[in-house]
Each structure stands twice: as C-alpha cells, then as structure tokens.
Amino acid sequence: MTETLVIKDLHVSVEGKPILNGVNLTINRGETHALMGPNGSGKSTLGNAIMGHPSYEVTGGTIEINGEDVLDMDASERARAGIFMAFQRPMAIPGVKLADFLRHAATNVRNPDRKEGEDLIPMREFRKELKEKMGQLKMDTEFARRYVNDGFSGGEMKRAEILQLAMLRPKFAILDETDSGLDVDAVKLASQSIAAIAQETEGGTEMGILIITHHDKLLEQNTPDFTHVMLGGRLVETGGEELARELYTNGYDRIRADHPVEARVEAEMQDEEPAAV
Ligand SMILES: Nc1ncnc2c1ncn2[C@@H]1O[C@H](COP(=O)(O)OP(=O)(O)O)[C@@H](O)[C@H]1O
Ligand SMILES: [Mg+2]
C-alpha cells in the first residue's frame, strides 16, 4: 500500500492571526511536489504546522500520515513517524556538536520505541556512516565537530540540513528553500544529493518530497510530479512541471490576476506586517 501524507482543509494561525485558510494537499511516497508562491504567502507556515512547531496553532482541518493523526503527535513523534523538515532558517544549538546531534536524531528516528537513556547507534557504525554521507555531500568531516549551525554561513546551514536528511532518511521530507544561500555549484550538488537520498530512503521506497523554492535548480534533478501555488494562505493552483517553469520565469502576476480573492487576502496580510527592522 502506498504511504501517504494527507492534509485536509488546514487552518493555521500564528499569534492569533490566521495565516493558512484551508489547505488541501496529498503527498504519496515516491512523489515530488514543488511548492511555490510569493514571500509571506504561508509556505513555511505549512511546513512548520506539519512538523508541529508550537508557535503554529492549527485551528481547523486534519493532517494524517498513513491514516494516523499527525496533529495528535508532538514534534519528536512526527519525526519518528518519518516526517522531516529542512528549515528555511535553521536554529543554532551552541554547545551541541553536529555529529552528536545527528547520532541522537538518527538513533531516535530509527528506533521509534527507544526510551531516553537507552543505547545510541554504536559509535563506530555511526562514524562510518557519517563519513560516507559527508563524503557524498563533499563536506569536510571536521564540519561535524562544530556546534549545530553556530556561526555557520547560510550555505553551511543548508548543507547541514541536507546531511540531516541523508542520515535520517525520512518517508516524507519538506525542504524549505534549501537552495537559498548556496552558490551555483552547491545548488547543483544539493539537487543531485536530494535525488540520490530519495532513492535510498528507509524501506527501499522513495521519499515523498515537498520542495519549497523560487528557482529551477533544485527541481532540475527532482522533477516535480506536481507544482502547487500558495497565495494568501491557500493553494490556488496545482499543475505539473510546466507550472513551476512558468512561475520561476514569469513570477506571480498571472496568479494574482486569476485569483483576486486570495490576492486581496495577500495584500491585507502584507499591510499588517510589522515594519522591517
Ligand atoms: N513565527 C512567526 N511569528 C509571527 N508571524 C509569522 C511567523 N511565521 C510566519 N508568520 C507570518 O505568517 C505569514 C506567512 O509567513 P511564511 O509562512 O513564512 O511565508 P512564506 O514562507 O510563504 O514566505 C507572514 O505574514 C509572516 O509574517
Ligand atoms: Mg518561507
């Protein structure tokens, strides 16, 4: 049976302000979905809500993984269920080395029933795997000794997110602007790596991927089966690869013209935006 992540009529508020106004999205394992849309339309909010970020309050609708209620799970249970998100702006964890972080995360995700304090993946086995993955991503192994995202450049943060993806091999991955801050060569490598990781994911089946991006490069090796457009907190259009191409070439004017109601919601959301600091 195909494994699925199913989102129905999802409403999400942040600090009491409605951001998502009824999102419907089904991702089957093995499918690649592109999520595009203007800044501030709610793309990251959707990802954060799926992951269970406490600042994002689900006020309506459902999220299910293989028929199980995701909204009932805390963030770590969601990770154990096989959901992963590479963050647009990853958090720094000073004092925690990337390698230690990955060893704990990988252990927990691979042994969903593990209790706190029980054995981690044996060090030798973990080191070998980490070294291999870092090699594939052309990362210096020294990098794993640094504190998680602490003083990382934009590009280093994104590479660390891809390393996490490679080590955790989730069933469903949300990649939130994983191409931002990477130079041309690094995006190319990221695109290839993501495609390779998707093939060798847990259980031998491919990942279901939701790629949030404004550009073409990540999608080059990860051709979207579906492209969705977010505007004013709703998915206003779904198409194929050609829709992604239209958007990264021409932008969103056509989308706004075709969806005036959501365009108005977008304009109102922008008006309420606090002044940039
Ligand atoms: N943690 C947050 N605190 C306050 N406002 C937020 C937060 N996250 C998102 N928002 C607001 O929600 C709206 C959608 O943001 P976001 O989901 O980040 O859009 P996108 O990823 O499409 O650029 C914006 O108006 C943004 O200011
Ligand atoms: Mg975003």
Side-chain angles (χ1 to χ4, degrees), residues 2 18 28 38-39 56 64 96 120 134 164 181 205 220 222 236 247 267 277:
T2 312
N28 293 312
N39 282 329
Y56 296 77
E64 291 184 349
V96 177
L120 296 169
M134 293 186 87
Q164 268 189 65
T205 347
E220 228 160 57
N222 303 280
V236 294
L247 299 176
V277 283

Side-chain angles (χ1 to χ4, degrees), residues 132-158:
E132 191 185 297
K133 294 281 188 278
M134 293 186 87
Q136 285 165 3
L137 295 169
K138 300 198 168 58
M139 294 171 82
D140 191 333
T141 43
E142 270 303 303
F143 191 68
R145 282 187 240 264
R146 290 175 60 184
Y147 295 147
V148 178
N149 292 319
D150 192 21
F152 284 17
S153 70
E156 285 171 336
M157 283 190 195
K158 298 296 160 152

Side-chain angles (χ1 to χ4, degrees), residues 157-252:
M157 283 190 195
K158 298 296 160 152
R159 290 159 61 113
E161 294 291 298
I162 297 171
L163 179 61
Q164 268 189 65
L165 176 72
M167 293 299 291
L168 299 182
R169 283 180 266 128
K171 294 177 177 177
F172 295 96
I174 303 157
L175 308 178
D176 195 356
E177 301 203 21
T178 303
D179 46 10
S180 70
L182 296 178
D183 63 39
V184 180
D185 293 330
V187 178
K188 212 175 197 175
L189 179 63
S191 184
Q192 289 165 353
S193 306
I194 292 162
I197 295 162
Q199 304 295 328
E200 59 172 64
T201 190
E202 202 58 37
T205 347
E206 292 177 88
M207 274 194 300
I209 322 178
L210 183 65
I211 298 182
I212 302 173
T213 186
H214 293 293
H215 312 288
D216 55 340
K217 288 289 173 222
L218 270 194
L219 302 177
E220 228 160 57
Q221 304 289 326
N222 303 280
T223 313
D225 300 296
F226 301 95
T227 301
H228 311 276
V229 192
M230 179 88 80
L231 184 69
R234 303 194 64 180
L235 296 181
V236 294
E237 279 189 27
T238 292
E241 185 189 351
E242 76 296 334
L243 180 57
R245 202 173 309 121
E246 179 204 327
L247 299 176
Y248 56 63
T249 312
N250 299 332
Y252 298 103

Side-chain angles (χ1 to χ4, degrees), residues 17-209:
K17 191 173 100 179
I19 306 293
L20 297 186
N21 308 306
V23 170
N24 294 290
L25 176 66
T26 294
I27 302 176
N28 293 312
R29 250 183 110 170
E31 290 174 352
T32 299
H33 294 241
L35 175 58
M36 303 180 77
N39 282 329
S41 56
K43 304 181 300 296
S44 295
T45 297
L46 175 61
N48 283 313
I50 295 170
M51 268 336 285
H53 189 302
S55 304
Y56 296 77
E57 190 201 348
V58 174
T59 56
T62 57
I63 306 177
E64 291 184 349
I65 182 169
N66 301 330
E68 271 191 69
D69 185 3
V70 169
L71 296 176
D72 226 21
M73 306 176 190
D74 65 27
S76 74
E77 288 168 333
R78 295 179 197 206
R80 287 171 199 228
I83 310 172
F84 170 85
M85 178 161 168
F87 293 103
Q88 183 174 1
R89 295 183 195 80
M91 255 182 28
I93 319 178
V96 177
K97 289 188 179 131
L98 182 57
D100 294 330
F101 171 77
L102 288 170
R103 189 170 169 220
H104 276 87
T107 303
N108 284 326
V109 164
R110 289 177 203 178
N111 310 312
D113 301 325
R114 173 180 175 268
K115 306 274 178 303
E116 198 55 50
E118 284 177 16
D119 287 348
L120 296 169
I121 301 170
M123 189 51 112
R124 281 174 64 116
E125 192 182 305
F126 174 76
R127 281 239 178 88
K128 183 164 168 278
E129 188 183 344
L130 184 63
K131 205 174 151 197
E132 191 185 297
K133 294 281 188 278
M134 293 186 87
Q136 285 165 3
L137 295 169
K138 300 198 168 58
M139 294 171 82
D140 191 333
T141 43
E142 270 303 303
F143 191 68
R145 282 187 240 264
R146 290 175 60 184
Y147 295 147
V148 178
N149 292 319
D150 192 21
F152 284 17
S153 70
E156 285 171 336
M157 283 190 195
K158 298 296 160 152
R159 290 159 61 113
E161 294 291 298
I162 297 171
L163 179 61
Q164 268 189 65
L165 176 72
M167 293 299 291
L168 299 182
R169 283 180 266 128
K171 294 177 177 177
F172 295 96
I174 303 157
L175 308 178
D176 195 356
E177 301 203 21
T178 303
D179 46 10
S180 70
L182 296 178
D183 63 39
V184 180
D185 293 330
V187 178
K188 212 175 197 175
L189 179 63
S191 184
Q192 289 165 353
S193 306
I194 292 162
I197 295 162
Q199 304 295 328
E200 59 172 64
T201 190
E202 202 58 37
T205 347
E206 292 177 88
M207 274 194 300
I209 322 178

